[in-house]
Amino acid sequence: MKSVRDFLFRLRAISVLQLLKRYYTYRVLSEITNVDAPTLNRYVKRVLMPTLKRARNMVDILEKKRDPTREIVKCILKYKGRDAIKMLFANRPELVGWMLDRICEEISRKDIDIFLCTSDGGFALSSVLAAILGKKVIVAERGAPKTPEVVRERTRVPYKDLIERISYLHMLPLEPEEELYIPNEYIREVGKNVRTVIITDMMWTGSTFYTLVSLAKKIGMEIRHGVVAIVAIEKIIERMRRDVEFPISYLIALDRYEEFREYVEDLQKGVL
């Protein structure tokens, strides 16, 4: 796992460099990093990777110049929340590279066999991580099952007492109320008592993550960790952290950022 972590961190350095290249010339970046411009160009084109030592130095310097989390928040709001991670894959792969390293950092010390996710941005993140780490992925599908041989669970919103106090939440692109299901053939392939990490891309109310936890327990998975890439309301995931028996990590809480608060104000004013 250490060699994989080192590899992803070196990719993170390149991802941050690609982000900064949107705002600075190679000459300026060379002055900032003390790396010659032709070498930086080869990093950006991914024909060369920095050493681990240089990658650490680059990340330390460049992330202070331009915060990747703030860039991701801006993209989430631009893409209106839903399918935002898929849009990042399509338009901002350097931000996806940064996120993948951060997720791997959270789970690198866990003994896991499989990722559990839904068939959206969570699958996009899980499938790349699984390919890199040599793990399996099991996908909870949405909607009406095509076969009766499934394990299913209806999504429901947890912590309604907390959610009802958030006046603007209904204006956001919330998770739909629907069924999640896992075909029995998926379950037979992985067996029981597998060590599992649940990964979701976005958490608005927590209903999708909460339902994945229920499905995992129904089919006998041992949940080792949960990872949410983006949460809208930090209080919701902090409440969930207290209620489950496993650790939950998240990369970004939208309501910490001024851009999100301004976005909500515009929603309430009817500007958007």
Side-chain angles (χ1 to χ4, degrees):
M1 177 68 81
K2 185 179 184 301
S3 60
V4 172
R5 279 287 301 115
D6 291 349
F7 169 75
L8 282 173
F9 191 84
R10 292 163 71 193
L11 281 182
R12 173 175 168 181
I14 294 174
S15 296
V16 179
L17 178 62
Q18 289 177 315
L19 169 61
L20 270 288
K21 184 63 183 66
R22 289 174 173 264
Y23 303 97
Y24 299 96
T25 64
Y26 280 119
R27 183 179 63 80
V28 174
L29 289 171
S30 180
E31 293 171 357
I32 292 171
T33 61
N34 199 30
V35 179
D36 63 88
T39 298
L40 292 177
N41 177 263
R42 295 179 74 190
Y43 291 160
V44 167
K45 292 181 177 179
R46 301 201 178 211
V47 297
L48 181 70
M49 292 185 70
T51 63
L52 184 59
K53 181 179 179 180
R54 175 170 284 180
R56 286 174 177 152
N57 185 59
M58 289 171 58
V59 167
D60 183 57
I61 293 171
L62 296 177
E63 289 190 3
K64 291 175 182 176
K65 285 286 183 182
R66 200 85 187 183
D67 182 2
T69 62
R70 194 169 296 277
E71 292 285 321
I72 292 169
V73 170
K74 291 177 181 178
C75 288
I76 298 299
L77 300 180
K78 176 183 177 182
Y79 302 138
K80 309 297 184 185
R82 283 188 182 152
D83 293 326
I85 299 300
K86 289 183 179 179
M87 294 299 292
L88 286 180
F89 269 91
N91 299 307
R92 300 295 300 272
E94 78 278 7
L95 297 178
V96 175
W98 182 88
M99 293 173 66
L100 290 170
D101 176 69
R102 288 295 314 281
I103 294 172
C104 192
E105 185 177 11
E106 296 293 338
I107 65 174
S108 61
R109 294 181 176 85
K110 306 290 180 180
D111 290 325
I112 60 172
D113 303 304
I114 200 164
F115 294 106
L116 173 63
C117 59
T118 52
S119 53
D120 46 26
F123 175 68
L125 293 170
S126 298
S127 58
V128 176
L129 284 168
I132 292 171
L133 300 174
K135 307 299 179 183
K136 297 179 180 179
V137 180
I138 191 167
V139 180
E141 307 286 355
R142 297 180 182 274
K146 297 177 181 178
T147 170
E149 297 180 356
V150 300
V151 176
R152 66 176 71 189
E153 186 80 17
R154 185 80 182 169
T155 61
R156 59 190 180 90
V157 177
Y159 317 127
K160 288 187 176 181
D161 60 322
L162 172 59
I163 288 170
E164 287 170 357
R165 296 198 297 269
I166 304 171
S167 61
Y168 59 82
L169 195 63
H170 69 283
M171 299 179 180
L172 300 176
L174 306 181
E175 300 100 321
E177 290 189 10
E178 58 187 349
E179 272 196 332
L180 296 183
Y181 67 92
I182 302 175
N184 287 349
E185 61 181 319
Y186 290 7
I187 299 168
R188 285 193 292 269
E189 286 293 322
V190 300
K192 291 186 177 294
N193 301 315
V194 290
R195 299 165 296 184
T196 305
V197 170
I198 296 174
I199 293 186
T200 61
D201 57 343
M202 298 286 303
M203 178 185 286
W204 298 100
T205 65
S207 62
T208 298
F209 190 91
Y210 194 83
T211 305
L212 286 174
V213 172
S214 297
L215 281 172
K217 291 179 177 179
K218 272 188 175 181
I219 63 180
M221 289 180 164
E222 179 188 344
I223 306 172
R224 289 291 182 94
H225 204 99
V227 177
V228 182
I230 316 290
V231 302
I233 314 299
E234 197 166 23
K235 286 182 179 178
I236 293 175
I237 197 165
E238 290 297 342
R239 174 83 168 267
M240 191 174 288
R241 275 176 153 180
R242 295 196 296 270
D243 290 350
V244 300
E245 309 86 22
F246 55 88
I248 304 176
S249 304
Y250 57 98
L251 306 185
I252 298 172
L254 293 180
D255 59 348
R256 285 188 178 187
Y257 291 83
E258 182 180 352
E259 292 88 346
F260 178 73
R261 294 190 290 271
E262 290 174 351
Y263 175 79
V264 169
E265 288 178 7
D266 287 343
L267 283 176
Q268 292 172 320
K269 293 175 183 176
V271 175
L272 296 177

